[in-house]
Amino acid sequence: MNRCCAVFVLLLGAPGVGLMGQTEGNIGGRVTDGATGEPVVGAIIEIDDRGARGLTDSTGVFLIRSVRPGRHRIGISAIGYRSVSRDSVLVESGRTVRLDVSLTRVAVPVRGVVVEAEPDPLLDPLVTQTVQRIRVEELRELPVSTLSEVVAIQGGVVGGSFRGGRVGQDVLIVDGLGLKNQFDAASGRFGLRIPAVAIQEASVITNAFSARYGRALSGVVTAVTKEGGDRLTGHMAVETDRPFPDGSDVGLDRLVALAGGPLFGSVRFLAAMDAQARIDDDPVNAPPPADSLDPRFERPWLLPNAAGERYDLLGKLTIPLGARQTLRVLGVVSESRRELFDPVLKYTTLPGNGEEVGGRLAMLHLERTSVPRSDHTLVIDARLGFFESEAARAPVLRHPRRRVGAFSFSGLEFAGMTIAKSQDTVRARDPIPGFTVPTFADATPWGVNAFFMTSSPRGELRWNRFREVRGRVDVLLGRGRVTDVRVGGEYARQWVDTFTRLAGFRAVDDGAPPATAASYGPSHAAGYVEWQQRASDLTVSAGLRVDAFGSGVADADGASGKLAASPRLAVSTALGSATVVASVGRFVQPPDLQYLVSAAFDDTLRTGRFRRGNPSLGFETSTQYELQARVRPSADIGFRAGVYVRRLEGLIASVPVGFDPDSAVFANGDFGTVKGVEIALEREYRDGFALRATYVLQQAQATATDARDLFRRLRISPTGDTIRPSETAFPLDFDRRHALSVTARARVPSRGGAVFAGTEAGAVVQWSSGLPFSLRDATGDSLIGLPNSQRLPSQFTVNVMLRRSIDIGATAVGVYLDVRNLTNRRNVVAVRRSSGQPDPTDAEIAGLVADAFEADPTPIPYESPRYRAWADADGDGLIAGMDELGPMYERAARDFTQPIFAYGIPRLLRFGVEIAF
């Protein structure tokens, strides 16, 4: 990995001067004499009483760069003038807050006057990227519980995909450090969650994101965590759905807590917790069963054996080291576990499969600012982080015992996990202890041996662990008020361990697929330089990032590493009353690490499919062009419109080897194009009301995104030659053509003692066209038409939050109601690929019945526990033949094929009580 180290050292040592980072903001303005209007030279600007942070120049102007988002106390003083201060100045990432100050001389017994003339953030030409900002007020007032939920309501985001790209083409930036579970990224599994109550500000950036950040093709999600203040504050909320009637009660219990303040001396702390448990952790809006013998008939809204819990803990220390240095220590622990309901195990009392996913983050952040001068600023940030994510899936040996509500406060006990974590492929050749041989369940209402099993026929045992140590240094040098340059780099060493065993109830010698295991250590290095120049209303930003990646897999071609350069350029200017931004950039990400090594997996068609890993995989790339215009028709209305084109190249596809569809190798070569129009209209929060609406029209097309689809596009001529058909474009998996998202916040004025005075309301309305899917024949093997040539129905949801708080001295006590899917719309999120409908056709049911009868036509006598009187048509005490066994098989088949998971969530109600001090 010498190439990685060389890139890191070379670019880290490059000369540079600074650009405002996307997780910090600026404070600027002008200080003048209140009597004469003349500039005050050398005035001192302090932030949070931490000493001088900036000075005014010969024109009285100051600019303080790299200020953490949040509310700050700003103090301004000058010799011979009365000092002034302003509390709760809100700084947001990527923006400059303007404070114009008029000072009065000491001899005049009046206070100085601060005139806040904040520049319009919409029209500010310094903002060159497409940013959808998430403020702390929105996290509180909108019906969202997690950062991922609030990200999902932003324009251009669908199911964890950004602007038509694949899931996993994004990166999360937490307090300036990029995090990504690079092994499970493509599956959407991350493992780490920042408690929403601990987030000061978040944003979704879908274009022109800074060269500081890599490992992303489609988007960047930033989260800045809160810090403890000068006094002790806290917040606690208890949330449940237990009081609500059947259909809205899924056994939800949630506890949220936050506390922060001074610890000792100038050290401040912040602690946050978000814990949630549900008896049904995967609620669905499936139609109730029509047959009274179905176990879901009485309570169809509650899936059995589907309980889940998650725990998110965060702790943070802020330690000032003098006036110029600050050390921040951050720790986050996330754990989630759930039982996985399986329709195959519907009639067994034994637990089925379960899943646990955990994440841990530890980060040190040392920030050093230069001695304040009017001509330049120097800020150095050094970060060191350790991130770990671990995931396991296996049969659960026993149901966890609930101790408080839906909480068990204990992990799941898995079969075979000791073998998996030790990666013992020798012991795994024998049947895995704790796995049971699946047989047909006898205790079904239908009495036939078909469809329903006593244990999972997949018998899967999976475990993986991803660990990463990442260090990065960022240096910002600001020259005057018009030039910023930032230079920096990072180096990461990663460790990956995996284990997979299928059909664990059977020995390998008896035909079970052998276990696969891998341990390897990839590495990644990057360096960047970025420059921003301002001249009047024109801003030019340019950056170059170089990434190097090594697979770390031994004895593999290309294991020495890959290298990629990513230039980025953005220009913004005022054009009449509008601000116009044009940008172009190249973005790269290393391959998901699961693609580097061979692996076995299961699907609905076969047990024991294999894919060969490829350590020689290169970077996936995206070149994106965007033109955007921003205008403000009135004082409180903002409008933004833009068009973008993204060219995706080198995407990883599974390419068949030979003619066996179960033997394939991962390779670079897939490509696609995303074109879109994004329109946003926002009414800023004024007079107790705010509204934001985003509409996206998008087309995302590609060649092949599935190994079997690609295989079918090849034809063999009579001479034995491979004939490649002409290029055919078809939609990418996340091509959502139309998407409309509307968020609204309102507050009733607190006056007159009215019943609803002080009530807060938030709503999220979303409508979108359906995602594409591929029709296949009854066997599931052959495509009908082109890939992704069919569409799911459109989706529509309305979520609402109502909150009422009462101040009792310094304490606020409140209650709230959080309603998801208010209209209880039954959104279709999946269909049968053979019919395009959630329910099977009569022909499919008939085929299942015929196959089941052919497999077991044995008559059922009266003495058998499987005898059902309703099926004995002639009353002779023997159920025999298709005429009598057929109806039993048919009812069992219709029960088995219920499309439970084809629908989205039902209406869910949450009632909460909170207290803040």
Side-chain angles (χ1 to χ4, degrees):
M1 206 53 225
N2 294 333
R3 183 179 296 181
C4 286
C5 298
V7 170
F8 177 74
V9 173
L10 176 64
L11 287 180
L12 184 60
V17 262
L19 184 69
M20 175 173 47
Q22 291 173 335
T23 56
E24 302 96 17
N26 294 342
I27 300 177
R30 190 166 187 260
V31 181
T32 58
D33 188 301
T36 66
E38 295 296 318
V40 178
V41 181
I44 299 173
I45 294 88
E46 297 184 16
I47 301 178
D48 298 329
D49 300 324
R50 290 282 313 281
R53 182 71 186 271
L55 297 174
T56 57
D57 60 14
S58 59
T59 63
V61 173
F62 68 92
L63 176 64
I64 302 177
R65 299 170 171 88
S66 193
V67 181
R68 285 182 56 82
R71 296 191 179 275
H72 297 274
R73 175 184 173 87
I74 309 300
I76 301 176
S77 60
I79 297 176
Y81 293 88
R82 186 176 299 279
S83 300
V84 300
S85 62
R86 175 68 183 269
D87 290 325
S88 299
V89 174
L90 179 61
V91 176
E92 297 179 324
S93 60
R95 293 181 176 177
T96 300
V97 177
R98 185 174 180 84
L99 294 177
D100 289 341
V101 181
S102 297
L103 296 182
T104 57
R105 295 189 178 275
V106 175
V108 181
V110 295
R111 287 184 57 83
V113 179
V114 178
V115 179
E116 185 172 351
E118 187 172 341
D120 193 323
L122 180 72
L123 304 181
D124 188 356
L126 297 182
V127 181
T128 58
Q129 62 265 10
T130 302
V131 182
Q132 299 178 78
R133 205 172 308 278
I134 304 162
R135 301 177 178 87
V136 65
E137 294 83 3
E138 295 176 276
L139 290 168
R140 166 184 164 81
E141 297 172 4
L142 292 178
V144 293
S145 303
T146 63
L147 177 61
S148 60
E149 288 180 356
V150 75
V151 168
I153 66 177
Q154 307 304 310
V157 181
V158 49
S161 164
F162 293 73
R163 286 193 170 180
R166 190 186 67 228
V167 171
Q169 292 181 350
D170 61 298
V171 67
L172 173 65
I173 310 297
V174 177
D175 288 348
L177 186 70
L179 301 175
K180 189 171 187 173
N181 181 353
Q182 204 167 328
F183 183 82
D184 273 336
S187 67
R189 181 185 288 135
F190 184 55
L192 191 76
R193 290 172 302 274
I194 307 299
V197 70
I199 295 176
Q200 174 63 44
E201 180 189 87
S203 63
V204 176
I205 306 169
T206 50
N207 182 57
F209 39 91
S210 170
R212 291 178 65 189
Y213 307 124
R215 299 194 294 168
L217 297 186
S218 303
V220 171
V221 178
T222 69
V224 180
T225 59
K226 296 178 180 178
E227 295 187 350
D230 296 331
R231 65 181 183 87
L232 182 64
T233 59
H235 172 267
M236 179 177 290
V238 178
E239 185 177 299
T240 183
D241 64 0
R242 304 303 180 95
F244 298 107
D246 291 347
S248 299
D249 176 11
V250 296
L252 168 71
D253 296 296
R254 184 177 177 223
L255 177 63
V256 179
L258 174 76
L263 187 61
F264 55 85
S266 58
V267 177
R268 292 166 291 163
F269 82 96
L270 184 85
M273 178 189 69
D274 190 336
Q276 176 179 292
R278 289 196 290 200
I279 295 176
D280 182 1
D281 201 39
D282 194 10
V284 294
N285 203 11
D291 202 312
S292 60
L293 297 178
D294 191 299
R296 289 183 55 244
F297 185 78
E298 294 295 331
R299 296 168 49 167
W301 70 91
L302 199 62
L303 291 181
N305 301 329
E309 302 173 61
R310 64 173 175 84
Y311 302 87
D312 303 315
L313 306 174
L314 178 144
K316 187 175 185 180
L317 293 176
T318 305
I319 308 171
L321 303 176
R324 305 282 168 243
Q325 297 183 138
T326 302
L327 176 65
R328 297 178 176 91
V329 183
L330 177 69
V332 183
V333 176
S334 293
E335 297 288 343
S336 66
R337 58 188 70 105
R338 55 182 295 197
E339 296 181 86
L340 304 174
F341 173 78
D342 188 345
V344 174
L345 308 180
K346 193 173 184 178
Y347 295 102
T348 180
T349 58
L350 299 175
N353 282 355
E355 182 178 75
E356 282 191 350
V357 180
R360 288 159 287 278
L361 169 67
M363 183 171 70
L364 297 176
H365 174 203
L366 179 63
E367 178 187 42
R368 177 176 175 81
T369 60
S370 61
V371 175
R373 292 178 54 183
S374 59
D375 57 344
H376 75 263
T377 301
L378 177 65
V379 180
I380 301 175
D381 289 282
R383 294 176 175 89
L384 178 65
F386 171 76
F387 171 55
E388 179 181 36
S389 178
E390 186 173 353
R393 177 180 290 195
V396 178
L397 296 177
R398 57 185 56 85
H399 295 293
R401 184 171 65 88
R402 301 188 185 99
R403 290 179 169 82
V404 178
F407 288 102
S408 68
F409 303 112
S410 62
L412 298 176
E413 187 177 351
F414 290 119
M417 196 49 60
T418 301
I419 295 176
K421 291 186 176 182
S422 63
Q423 299 176 289
D424 194 338
T425 57
V426 176
R427 289 178 58 195
R429 295 188 62 85
D430 298 325
I432 306 297
F435 281 67
T436 57
V437 178
T439 59
F440 285 116
D442 290 332
T444 72
W446 324 117
V448 289
N449 286 327
F451 311 121
F452 300 101
M453 312 292 289
T454 57
S455 63
S456 172
R458 297 182 179 181
E460 60 181 339
L461 173 61
R462 303 177 185 274
W463 172 81
N464 69 67
R465 180 176 60 194
F466 170 74
R467 293 173 294 171
E468 175 182 271
V469 173
R470 181 172 295 269
R472 68 173 294 139
V473 176
D474 300 284
V475 180
L476 166 65
L477 181 60
R479 302 289 297 180
R481 304 186 311 275
V482 297
T483 303
D484 290 345
V485 175
R486 187 182 291 270
V487 64
E490 60 183 344
Y491 177 79
R493 181 62 191 272
Q494 302 164 332
W495 295 269
V496 179
D497 301 290
T498 72
F499 182 90
T500 301
R501 170 73 151 87
L502 303 177
F505 50 84
R506 184 185 304 148
V508 172
D509 292 340
D510 293 335
T516 62
S519 295
Y520 53 103
S523 56
H524 174 246
Y528 71 91
V529 60
E530 198 167 34
W531 165 74
Q532 185 180 82
Q533 186 70 34
R534 299 180 290 276
S536 185
D537 291 331
L538 177 68
T539 301
V540 178
S541 297
L544 175 65
R545 179 182 178 90
V546 178
D547 289 86
F549 168 75
S551 67
V553 180
D555 301 324
D557 294 337
S560 59
K562 305 293 182 180
L563 192 66
S566 304
R568 303 170 190 183
L569 175 67
V571 179
S572 64
T573 186
L575 189 63
S577 59
T579 296
V580 179
V581 181
S583 63
V584 59
R586 185 173 187 260
F587 311 97
V588 304
Q589 69 176 26
D592 292 347
L593 302 180
Q594 60 180 302
Y595 299 146
L596 300 182
V597 295
S598 303
F601 64 95
D602 191 16
D603 65 7
T604 57
L605 303 179
R606 297 173 174 84
T607 297
R609 300 186 67 188
F610 288 88
R611 290 292 180 268
R612 285 170 44 190
N614 185 356
S616 299
L617 289 172
F619 287 92
E620 298 179 290
T621 68
S622 170
T623 303
Q624 182 162 318
Y625 310 85
E626 180 159 356
L627 179 63
Q628 183 186 105
R630 306 191 296 253
V631 66
R632 187 171 293 284
S634 63
D636 56 354
I637 301 294
F639 178 79
R640 170 172 56 86
V643 295
Y644 58 87
V645 177
R646 300 176 58 225
R647 179 65 173 178
L648 304 171
E649 297 179 280
L651 299 183
I652 296 172
S654 184
V655 180
V657 177
F659 299 97
D660 182 2
D662 287 339
S663 179
V665 62
F666 293 109
N668 290 100
D670 198 5
F671 67 91
T673 302
V674 182
K675 303 175 183 178
V677 176
E678 188 172 296
I679 300 173
L681 180 69
E682 180 174 7
R683 183 191 189 275
E684 296 182 355
Y685 197 92
R686 187 173 298 179
D687 300 326
F689 179 71
L691 179 73
R692 179 187 299 163
T694 303
Y695 170 73
V696 178
L697 173 64
Q698 181 177 271
Q699 181 186 60
Q701 293 186 325
T703 52
T705 56
D706 180 87
R708 308 183 72 193
D709 295 339
L710 181 60
F711 180 77
R712 286 173 181 77
R713 294 182 62 244
L714 303 180
R715 296 293 184 268
I716 306 302
S717 71
T719 62
D721 295 330
T722 300
I723 300 175
R724 298 183 181 273
S726 59
E727 180 178 326
T728 301
F730 52 86
L732 278 163
D733 290 345
F734 290 92
D735 175 32
R736 175 154 282 176
R737 295 292 175 83
H738 304 274
L740 175 66
S741 179
V742 180
T743 62
R745 296 182 294 132
R747 179 183 175 88
V748 179
S750 303
R751 69 169 75 98
V755 175
F756 297 103
T759 300
E760 299 172 341
V764 176
V765 180
Q766 289 184 287
W767 174 88
S768 61
S769 55
L771 294 174
F773 71 94
S774 302
L775 272 180
R776 301 182 184 273
D777 62 15
T779 66
D781 279 343
S782 299
L783 282 172
I784 301 176
L786 291 174
N788 284 342
S789 57
Q790 306 294 317
R791 291 268 171 182
L792 294 171
S794 61
Q795 298 189 27
F796 176 75
T797 57
V798 179
N799 301 335
V800 176
M801 166 80 85
L802 297 174
R803 175 181 272 106
R804 178 74 165 90
S805 299
I806 301 175
D807 293 333
I808 304 176
T811 303
V813 179
V815 296
Y816 62 88
L817 177 66
D818 186 343
V819 186
R820 309 293 173 91
N821 194 12
L822 177 67
T823 63
N824 203 30
R825 177 185 170 99
R826 185 166 284 142
N827 289 303
V828 176
V829 298
V831 294
R832 299 179 69 87
R833 294 179 180 266
S834 57
S835 63
Q837 301 294 325
D839 293 288
T841 63
D842 291 340
E844 289 176 311
I845 294 294
L848 291 173
V849 171
D851 292 342
F853 179 77
E854 181 180 356
D856 187 7
T858 307
I860 303 175
Y862 178 80
E863 296 79 12
S864 172
R866 298 193 292 114
Y867 177 85
R868 302 293 183 265
W870 55 266
D872 190 358
D874 57 11
D876 64 351
L878 185 68
I879 304 174
M882 177 61 83
D883 290 341
E884 292 183 335
L885 287 172
M888 300 175 71
Y889 279 118
E890 180 181 351
R891 294 180 73 172
R894 292 194 182 277
D895 180 11
F896 179 72
T897 57
Q898 286 182 56
I900 295 176
F901 296 108
Y903 301 93
I905 64 170
R907 181 190 296 118
L908 298 173
L909 287 78
R910 309 177 179 196
F911 174 75
V913 179
E914 60 183 354
I915 181 172
F917 58 89

